[in-house]
Every structure is written in structure tokens, then in C-alpha cells.
Amino acid sequence: MSRDMLPTLRQLQYFRALADAGNFRKAAESLGISQPSLSQQIANLEKVLRVALIERGRAGAILTAAGREVLSRSVGILEDVKSVVGIAEQVGSGALGTYRLGASATFGPYLLPSVVRQLHSDHPTLRLFIRDGRPSDLLEDLFSGRLDLVLSQLPVLSSELNVIRLFREPLFLAVSRDHRLAARKNVEDMDLAGETLLVLSNGFSLHAQLVELAQTLGATLQRDYEGSSLDALRQMVAMNMGVTLLPALYAQSEVGPNDGDVALIPFRQGRVSRSIGLIWRRSSRNPPAFDAFSDQIRTVVRTKFSDILHLEG
Amino acid sequence: MSRDMLPTLRQLQYFRALADAGNFRKAAESLGISQPSLSQQIANLEKVLRVALIERGRAGAILTAAGREVLSRSVGILEDVKSVVGIAEQVGSGALGTYRLGASATFGPYLLPSVVRQLHSDHPTLRLFIRDGRPSDLLEDLFSGRLDLVLSQLPVLSSELNVIRLFREPLFLAVSRDHRLAARKNVEDMDLAGETLLVLSNGFSLHAQLVELAQTLGATLQRDYEGSSLDALRQMVAMNMGVTLLPALYAQSEVGPNDGDVALIPFRQGRVSRSIGLIWRRSSRNPPAFDAFSDQIRTVVRTKFSDILHLEG
DNA sequence: AAGTTTGATAGGAATTTCCTATGTCTCGGG
DNA sequence: CCCGAGACATAGGAAATTCCTATCAAACTT
């Protein structure tokens, strides 16, 4: 009976039933308990609240002023609690909830707006908070629980994480307008031999891929300056500091068909590309909403970006 | 674990503590319970809600999407419950609450507006719902719990009821303008001998008093038509169907000093009067607010009606 | 590899809730 | 005026829940 003692939900339920029924016996019956149990719980509630809620008289149970105040609030509280059960169920079934998605900077501006828009119309109560950043930072936030999902280039190498492949995004060769390859309709892997390849800084997933590619094809890596954004990289290419590979989504949207400050050349057969997938903690158990998200992304890729991207999985 | 099973407030409290602390051990400590107890209650909560709220991992306890939804609502619910405790305490101390007062029709228009106004400025959170009606109906509503208080003429004759005398209200003799007593400055009881006395219908407390008075003083009761309001009575008097006695408050306010359709004559020494008091169920235990109400009424009588009414008790 | 840290599990003690039986009070009928 | 009925409180013990100690399992740390 200490100072910060709270009434029990059960007590509030019983109290409401009592107020509805108007007397202890009927209320107890409607609750499926015995009359003494009800009397006791009501007495306890009054003890916790230190105020009489019910006037016991032959006219039955009459609410006191305190009882009336407590009743109206109790009804609200009980409804709130019931609604929590409903909410929990909805979230559990993937019909509702707010999820935090981290995405490489590339997707933020080009792909995700469509996804969010479509998601909002298909599942108005499923919300997505999107944060962008370097994939390595995003993955750390995913581990620490600050994010629920990450949309990023594969592969991702942790047994803690679950990955689903979504689509493949071709890379374009970007060269300055006066580069020897600038006029080519398309290129082969081997054409890169001897070129200086500009890359993003470590922490971006393109970094690792390009480093490997450079080694395989005999290109030289420009390591003195690593770009921190695709825009920066593009400008370096325009100034002829080297060549680079740009993801199709960025290339298509930001550089434009073929009139930008750099020339974009596709690889034959789309041989050079990166794979994009959705990643989450294995311990988050793949909630239904995650499937909804990947479905939405796939749908957007199919309906709006089928000329650029290739579905996978 | 049936369908309509509700989470426990304790579970919500524990869950909030867990979300705040970020891991089970610290949360259990902050709650003053052991870690297994906390684990168990959280597991039970998840079982009731049929959804995982917490992702257990080495990074500590991470909230799932469902957990985040449930958390925000839980916080609200817990605050609501805490506020109920506070509200109950305030009502118990008479600082807050809504009380239902029944009043004879006479007081509604003349006395109570001042009381309500003053009460509202002295105790803004104490509210009074006022209903008027025949005193007998009001008393029945008081018994049945539809009213908390009745302001009515005394005496009231039930051992179930508690009564506090508030003030005494003189009665005026009302006669038609051409009545033999119309010009008198004041009258004695005996002057009523032989007169035909008009009375309110049964159920009004004035009824009993006038019936008794008529018997004592040798006046004849006009029983064919009993008025259902003081206004009706007054009009019957004006038409010279008889005389009657009108309470001072009504007389003063409704008929005006001496230019109305009937002549109002005071009794010498205010010998004929009725006593007004506040009545409540003994079983309601005289809450502090009742004292506040009687104080307010007394204050209004003293400050605004001291020329008409006489304080008592 | 041993020691730490984190949460789950097991089994029994402590507390709470509930039930049956009984008590008190008041009412209404014989 | 007493008796039985109706309403709620009280008492004591049974049932269920909550909690604790002890122990386990898994994953870091050192």
C-alpha cells in the first residue's frame, strides 16, 4: 500500500463491471467470479486509491463522485489496453508498423521515392523511415538496432544477417568526353586494361567491387583521392583524372542519356554489374512486413525500371 | 491465453523499464526484481500479444516494430493510470469532482446561479449539476443515487438521510389586490382564519406545511385545484380564488416589491417561515465537497440575500 | 581455453487471487 | 415481532501467479 502503488487492470475491469451492473452479485456473475472475490478487489482498489468509489446501500451499488471520475478514466484505459492487443496483432501480421530502412545514397533519390509512394497507397499503415549513408555505417546501425533493414549492394558477409537478392544493376563506364573510349557504343571488360580507375572511399560497397575488378583487368587504382560521393567521382572523371564505373540508376538519372559532362558507355551484355539486396538481422526473424517491402521494391523495379535494372531472386 | 486476455499493467511497466534500460539485467535492477522474473513477465507479455516485442541479441534488447508500437502506447496507458490515482486523491479531498444537486424549483432561478458562479471562481474544478423538480421526486432520486444532494425545505424524515440546516426563508401572504387584507403593512397568523388557502400539489414540501397551517389557523383549503407551480398559484390568487403563502425568494424576485398582480404582505416578526437545508444520503459519508457546498450557499445567503433570508445552523 | 556477459529455464517459496462458508445488516411478510 | 430473503463483508484455505535462487546455454573477451 505504498505511495506509488498503482491499481491493477483487473481492478479497473471489475470496477467497470460493477458500475455497469449496479450491484456486486450481478457484476460478479457477469465477470464469472464469486461475489466475495469482487468485493475484495473493489475494496483493494479503494484502498489503493484511498477513496470510496462505491456507496453500498440497499439501492445497490451507487457510484460516489470519485467513483464516477475513476470510472470514466478506467473505461478509457481499458479500451487503450484492448487496442494495444489489436495493434500488436496488426503489427505482427505485417499490416501496420514503422520500419527504419537504411539505403545507399544511390537509391535514396532514384528508386525509393517510387517505392515509398506505392507502399503508401498499397499499405497506408505501413510506414518506412529512410536514412541514407555509407553502407558500412548502415550495416553498423543495423547491427545496433538503429535500423531494421538495409538496402545495399551484395554480397554481405555476416552470419548474423539475412539477405535477399532483389535485382542486378549494371555499371556504366564513365569517361571524359575526350577519352579514347568516349565514342564507343559499348565496351568489353578488357578495354579497361591500363586505365586509371577512380573509386569511392572505403565503406562503400562499390569500393570493394572496383578494387577487385581493377586487379582482374589490369587497371590502375587511383588511391590518392577516393571520392565520397558519386557526384564527386563524376566530376573527377570529367576533368580526366581517370575513369570510373557508375551504377545504372545514378547514371541514367543524374547524367542523362549522352549529353552530360562525361560519356557513359555500357558493357556488352551487361556483363559488369552489381547485385542489390535487402538485409536484416537474422534475429529479427523476417517479419511479414519485410516480405511486403521486398515485394514493393520488386514491383517498382519491374514496372518503372525494367529498362535499367534486372530482377533477381 | 484466450482471445480476450489482456496484458497486465505490471507487464507494461516492466516492458517500459526494459525498453528504457536496453537490457534485461539493468532493467530488472531498476525495477527491484530479479532478472528471471523480468524475463518471464516479458515472455508472458509477448505470449498474450502473440508477437515478439524484443529482439534478444548481444547488442542487448532491441525493440521490434511491434515493440515500438506497444511501447509508446504503454507509456500513455501507464501515465493515464497514474493520473487516475491523482484524480482519485483530489476528488477524495474535495478539490475536484462533479456533484448532482436537486433543488426545489424556487431555488433554481434565484439562489443557485449565485452559488454556482461563486463556486466556480472559488473551486474551478468542483462542478455542480443542478436539476430541479418536486422535492418528493428529488428525494427519490437522492435515494436511488441519481442525485448526490438535495436543497429543499425541512424537515426531512428519513434515518437514511443526513440533513444540515442552512437558512430560514420567510413566507409572504399573497392576496389579490382587492382583498380585504391587501392594504395591510403586515399580518398575524390569525388573520388567515376563514380564508381559502391555495396550495401546491402534494409532493411539494410547502404543501404539507400549508395544510398543517390551515388546520391550525382555521383556514379552508382549496383542494379542487392544487397548483403545480408558484406562478400558477400566484395567478389563481390574482383571480381571487383564494390566498396563499409564497416563499420570500420567489416573492421578492418574481412579483416585485409591491406593484405586481397580487399584494404581498409579510407576517409580523417573520413568524411564518420555512427552513431550508441540504440533504444527502447518510451512506455517502459527508464528503468534504459537501461542506464546501454548504459553505458556499451560506456565503451567498449572507452576502447577497441577507435582507430576505436568515442564516441558521 | 577460461572467464564474462546476456538471457532462458527449472523448481520451489511467497504473494495474490479466488472460492466456499459464514456473518451482519436491512427489508418485507406473516 | 420474529423470520426469511437479499445484499455485501469477513474468514480461512485452495489455486494461481509472481518472484527468487540456482543453473544453463550461447557468444564475447582476454
Side-chain angles (χ1 to χ4, degrees):
Chain A
M1 303 306 136
S2 74
R3 185 126 298 255
D4 59 340
M5 187 94 177
L6 289 183
T8 293
L9 273 189
R10 180 177 272 133
Q11 288 167 351
L12 301 187
Q13 273 181 302
Y14 286 9
F15 177 56
R16 180 177 58 171
L18 175 55
D20 287 349
N23 78 59
F24 281 70
R25 195 166 296 282
K26 276 185 236 157
E29 188 182 355
S30 83
L31 288 166
I33 62 171
S34 70
Q35 168 265 312
S37 299
L38 178 60
S39 286
Q40 211 170 301
Q41 288 291 14
I42 298 297
N44 286 343
L45 178 58
E46 289 179 316
K47 195 148 59 168
V48 171
L49 297 181
R50 302 178 147 88
V51 74
L53 303 172
I54 294 277
E55 225 178 286
R56 285 88 163 159
R58 57 217 98 290
I62 298 176
L63 289 179
T64 64
R68 293 190 292 267
E69 296 293 335
V70 170
L71 176 63
S72 66
R73 282 151 231 267
S74 297
V75 169
I77 288 170
L78 290 169
E79 274 166 14
D80 288 350
V81 173
K82 225 177 297 177
S83 94
V84 165
V85 179
I87 296 284
E89 183 179 320
Q90 286 188 280
V91 179
S93 74
L96 176 110
T98 300
Y99 293 83
R100 298 159 306 183
L101 169 68
S104 304
T106 343
F107 304 116
Y110 316 119
L111 181 67
L112 289 180
S114 301
V115 172
V116 168
R117 204 176 314 120
Q118 187 188 293
L119 182 71
H120 185 70
S121 81
D122 284 8
H123 306 276
T125 52
L126 263 190
R127 280 172 308 176
L128 214 44
F129 273 6
I130 295 175
R131 270 220 4 247
D132 59 18
R134 293 164 50 208
S136 58
D137 295 337
L138 295 178
L139 287 179
E140 190 188 316
D141 285 353
L142 181 61
F143 275 117
S144 70
R146 286 188 292 273
L147 289 177
D148 302 307
L149 290 163
V150 167
L151 181 67
S152 165
Q153 173 170 356
L154 307 182
V156 164
L157 23 36
S158 165
S159 65
E160 295 286 307
L161 297 181
N162 222 325
V163 169
I164 185 175
R165 305 172 81 81
L166 289 175
F167 57 85
R168 187 161 272 284
E169 182 181 25
L171 299 179
F172 285 67
L173 176 65
V175 299
S176 76
R177 289 260 160 230
D178 54 0
H179 191 274
R180 66 176 173 93
L181 295 171
R184 296 274 287 273
K185 272 278 182 290
N186 55 53
V187 289
E188 304 272 353
D189 307 0
M190 306 85 88
D191 289 328
L192 286 183
E195 293 292 335
T196 297
L197 195 61
L198 301 171
V199 299
L200 285 173
S201 64
N202 208 327
F204 288 93
S205 2
L206 262 182
H207 178 85
Q209 189 177 10
L210 296 198
V211 168
E212 193 187 318
L213 209 66
Q215 200 148 26
T216 310
L217 303 179
T220 310
L221 272 189
Q222 168 58 275
R223 308 220 104 172
D224 300 337
Y225 187 83
E226 297 185 328
S228 63
S229 75
L230 295 174
D231 283 329
L233 225 53
R234 193 189 77 216
Q235 281 153 17
M236 289 164 69
V237 168
M239 294 185 293
N240 220 343
M241 296 172 69
V243 306
T244 194
L245 299 180
L246 293 177
L249 219 42
Y250 170 84
Q252 201 85 352
S253 311
E254 208 64 30
V255 183
N258 234 350
D259 56 341
D261 46 4
V262 300
L264 290 173
I265 310 159
F267 284 84
R268 283 226 309 155
Q269 313 272 26
R271 292 263 306 280
V272 178
S273 63
R274 61 177 190 164
S275 185
I276 305 297
L278 203 53
I279 305 150
W280 59 86
R281 269 168 272 118
R282 193 174 290 282
S283 61
S284 66
R285 295 293 176 77
N286 189 8
F290 288 4
D291 293 336
F293 293 139
S294 35
D295 287 350
Q296 295 287 320
I297 295 174
R298 277 197 247 261
T299 302
V300 166
V301 167
R302 180 164 3 88
T303 59
K304 298 198 153 172
F305 295 94
S306 58
D307 52 335
I308 307 179
L309 307 176
H310 311 302
L311 275 181
E312 258 191 333
Chain B
M1 300 311 137
S2 74
R3 184 126 295 258
D4 60 338
M5 187 97 177
L6 290 184
T8 293
L9 272 189
R10 178 176 276 133
Q11 288 167 351
L12 301 187
Q13 276 180 299
Y14 286 8
F15 177 56
R16 179 176 58 171
L18 174 55
D20 287 349
N23 78 60
F24 282 71
R25 196 159 238 95
K26 278 187 232 154
E29 187 183 358
S30 84
L31 288 165
I33 62 171
S34 69
Q35 169 264 311
S37 300
L38 178 60
S39 286
Q40 211 169 298
Q41 289 290 15
I42 297 297
N44 286 342
L45 178 58
E46 289 180 316
K47 195 148 59 169
V48 171
L49 297 181
R50 298 161 196 280
V51 73
L53 303 171
I54 294 277
E55 222 179 287
R56 285 90 163 158
R58 52 226 104 286
I62 297 178
L63 289 179
T64 64
R68 292 191 292 265
E69 296 294 334
V70 170
L71 176 64
S72 67
R73 280 150 231 266
S74 295
V75 169
I77 288 169
L78 290 168
E79 272 166 16
D80 288 350
V81 173
K82 224 179 298 177
S83 96
V84 166
V85 179
I87 296 285
E89 184 180 319
Q90 284 188 284
V91 180
S93 74
L96 175 111
T98 300
Y99 293 84
R100 298 158 308 183
L101 169 68
S104 304
T106 344
F107 304 117
Y110 317 121
L111 180 67
L112 289 180
S114 302
V115 173
V116 168
R117 205 176 313 120
Q118 188 188 292
L119 182 71
H120 185 70
S121 81
D122 285 9
H123 307 275
T125 52
L126 263 188
R127 278 171 311 175
L128 215 44
F129 272 6
I130 295 176
R131 270 219 5 247
D132 59 18
R134 293 164 50 209
S136 58
D137 296 335
L138 296 178
L139 287 178
E140 189 188 317
D141 285 353
L142 182 61
F143 275 117
S144 70
R146 286 187 292 274
L147 290 176
D148 302 307
L149 289 164
V150 167
L151 181 68
S152 164
Q153 173 169 356
L154 306 183
V156 164
L157 25 37
S158 165
S159 65
E160 294 287 306
L161 297 181
N162 222 324
V163 169
I164 186 174
R165 304 173 81 80
L166 288 175
F167 57 86
R168 186 161 273 280
E169 180 182 27
L171 300 178
F172 285 67
L173 176 65
V175 300
S176 77
R177 289 259 161 229
D178 54 1
H179 192 276
R180 66 178 174 92
L181 295 171
R184 297 275 286 275
K185 272 282 181 290
N186 56 55
V187 291
E188 304 272 352
D189 308 0
M190 305 85 88
D191 289 327
L192 286 183
E195 293 292 336
T196 297
L197 195 61
L198 300 171
V199 299
L200 286 172
S201 65
N202 210 328
F204 289 93
S205 1
L206 259 183
H207 178 86
Q209 190 178 11
L210 295 198
V211 168
E212 192 188 318
L213 208 66
Q215 199 150 28
T216 310
L217 303 178
T220 310
L221 272 189
Q222 168 57 276
R223 307 222 106 169
D224 301 337
Y225 187 84
E226 297 186 330
S228 62
S229 75
L230 295 174
D231 284 328
L233 225 53
R234 194 190 77 216
Q235 280 152 19
M236 291 164 68
V237 167
M239 293 185 293
N240 220 341
M241 296 172 67
V243 305
T244 195
L245 299 180
L246 293 177
L249 219 42
Y250 170 83
Q252 201 86 355
S253 311
E254 209 62 29
V255 184
N258 233 351
D259 55 343
D261 47 4
V262 301
L264 290 173
I265 311 158
F267 284 85
R268 283 226 308 157
Q269 312 274 23
R271 291 264 304 282
V272 179
S273 63
R274 61 177 189 161
S275 185
I276 305 298
L278 203 53
I279 305 149
W280 59 87
R281 270 168 272 118
R282 193 174 291 283
S283 61
S284 66
R285 296 265 201 255
N286 189 7
F290 288 5
D291 293 335
F293 293 139
S294 36
D295 287 350
Q296 295 287 321
I297 296 174
R298 275 198 248 262
T299 302
V300 167
V301 168
R302 181 167 1 89
T303 59
K304 298 199 155 172
F305 295 94
S306 60
D307 52 335
I308 308 178
L309 308 176
H310 311 302
L311 275 181
E312 258 192 334

